[in-house]
Amino acid sequence: AVIGNPIEHSMSPEIHEYFASQYNLTNFSYKKILSEKATLDDDIRSFFSNGGTGLNITIPFKFSAYSLCNRFDKTAKQCGSTNTLKIDEGEIVGYNTDGLGFIDDLEIKKINFTNSNVLILGAGGSAISICNSFLNSSQDVKISILNRTRSNADNLINFFKDSKIEIHNHKNEYDLIVNTTPISMSSEQISLPKDILSNNPICYDLFYSKHRTLFQKWAYSHGVDQCYDGLGMLIQQAKHSFFIWNGLTPETSNLESKLRII
């Protein structure tokens, strides 16, 4: 299952059911669980005690779910957050596949980030996962953080204590901009500084839709040539989650185009 709030928009069930069909896993099911902060612990424990084996965590619970885990993989430890849980010998094990999925999708889309200046919008769990994935890559990347609340951006930078990460400076020119904020799910008008687009960067929205997201519309309306949504990343991180739960690596080619037709 996948647990979050909101959750209705999630395409994770379609993705995982497609993966399961590749291996004829007839007793496989994957559902959406709407939760609240006050009931998250009980909802997760209830899921596993009632026979659940694998759980994805989405916004806004990636930090909260981390505190429930008994053990972690290396990436979850590095991020202090988790998007994938499994039960192992009665213990909850936390993983973070977001960054792996993100890098996989950049490679599939042939987005070269070698020696790039990257701007990350936001400073939450997803932003930490993206920063961590860049820092763990073999490419030389310089990362800037732009967040509505400066203290949260400072906290992210202090979390990593890496000279490659700094606060956004309006004089910077960027090659790649990654939106990790929920602005595409809001009804508010996007009010980002237009000068971040001065270098015609490739833009990437972690949120996804069958149609253009609000962030994509904003970027294209200001002259950007390329702006992707996060459906490809969702598919790729799901591939890693599926392997964690089932020991099987599903085929993902053409799935993104298929999901946009559904």
Side-chain angles (χ1 to χ4, degrees):
V2 58
I3 189 166
N5 189 341
I7 199 64
E8 190 55 42
H9 71 288
S10 176
M11 297 183 78
S12 290
E14 290 93 330
I15 293 169
H16 282 279
E17 285 162 11
Y18 174 74
F19 291 165
S21 71
Q22 295 179 25
Y23 299 99
N24 298 314
L25 302 183
T26 52
N27 63 342
F28 182 95
S29 70
Y30 189 107
K31 61 182 181 179
K32 304 174 189 178
I33 301 173
L34 178 67
S35 187
E36 304 285 344
K37 188 174 183 180
T39 63
L40 180 68
D41 289 16
D42 288 341
D43 291 339
I44 290 176
R45 295 188 191 282
S46 174
F47 172 79
F48 285 120
S49 64
N50 287 321
T53 55
L55 190 61
N56 281 134
I57 312 294
T58 188
I59 59 167
F61 300 132
K62 294 182 183 184
F63 288 117
S64 301
Y66 182 88
S67 64
L68 275 175
C69 297
N70 305 107
R71 291 184 277 128
F72 308 94
D73 80 330
K74 177 183 175 183
T75 307
K77 266 187 180 177
Q78 290 174 338
C79 295
S81 64
T82 181
N83 76 320
T84 302
L85 307 180
K86 83 168 185 177
I87 199 80
D88 182 47
E89 297 181 348
E91 292 189 322
I92 298 175
V93 188
Y95 302 79
N96 195 313
T97 68
D98 278 336
L100 292 171
F102 175 71
I103 296 296
D104 283 353
D105 196 45
L106 292 188
E107 291 173 352
I108 288 167
K109 291 178 166 60
K110 295 182 170 53
I111 299 173
N112 183 3
F113 54 91
T114 306
N115 299 318
S116 289
N117 286 327
V118 178
L119 175 64
I120 295 179
L121 304 175
S126 295
I128 287 176
S129 298
I130 300 305
C131 285
N132 188 64
S133 66
F134 278 130
L135 294 176
N136 283 338
S137 75
S138 58
Q139 312 303 327
D140 188 19
V141 179
K142 186 175 181 182
I143 303 166
S144 298
I145 306 296
L146 175 59
N147 191 62
R148 182 179 292 181
T149 306
R150 170 66 186 262
S151 60
N152 291 343
D154 290 336
N155 289 341
L156 184 152
I157 293 167
N158 292 332
F159 178 84
F160 284 106
K161 296 181 174 64
D162 192 299
S163 59
K164 293 180 180 178
I165 306 180
E166 63 180 20
I167 204 75
H168 163 68
N169 184 315
H170 69 89
K171 295 178 182 178
N172 290 356
E173 289 191 337
Y174 299 107
D175 306 297
L176 175 64
I177 297 178
V178 183
N179 174 45
T180 73
T181 76
I183 52 178
S184 285
M185 300 177 71
S186 169
S187 57
E188 294 180 29
Q189 188 173 354
I190 294 177
S191 56
L192 292 166
K194 299 181 186 66
D195 59 6
I196 64 176
L197 304 176
S198 61
N199 197 41
N200 191 19
I202 295 173
C203 294
Y204 193 109
D205 190 358
L206 261 56
F207 288 81
Y208 58 91
S209 171
K210 290 179 183 177
H211 309 288
R212 283 184 176 177
T213 67
L214 291 179
F215 178 74
Q216 283 181 294
K217 291 177 181 177
W218 178 83
Y220 282 127
S221 72
H222 290 94
V224 164
D225 289 335
Q226 295 180 68
C227 185
Y228 300 94
D229 75 358
L231 184 55
M233 173 184 165
L234 180 73
I235 292 167
Q236 297 307 317
Q237 66 79 26
K239 172 189 70 180
H240 292 287
S241 295
F242 191 86
F243 177 81
I244 288 166
W245 300 328
N246 302 291
L248 302 167
T249 302
E251 175 58 50
T252 62
S253 58
N254 301 320
L255 179 54
E256 185 174 343
S257 58
K258 287 178 183 176
L259 288 171
R260 295 195 189 279
I261 295 169
I262 293 174

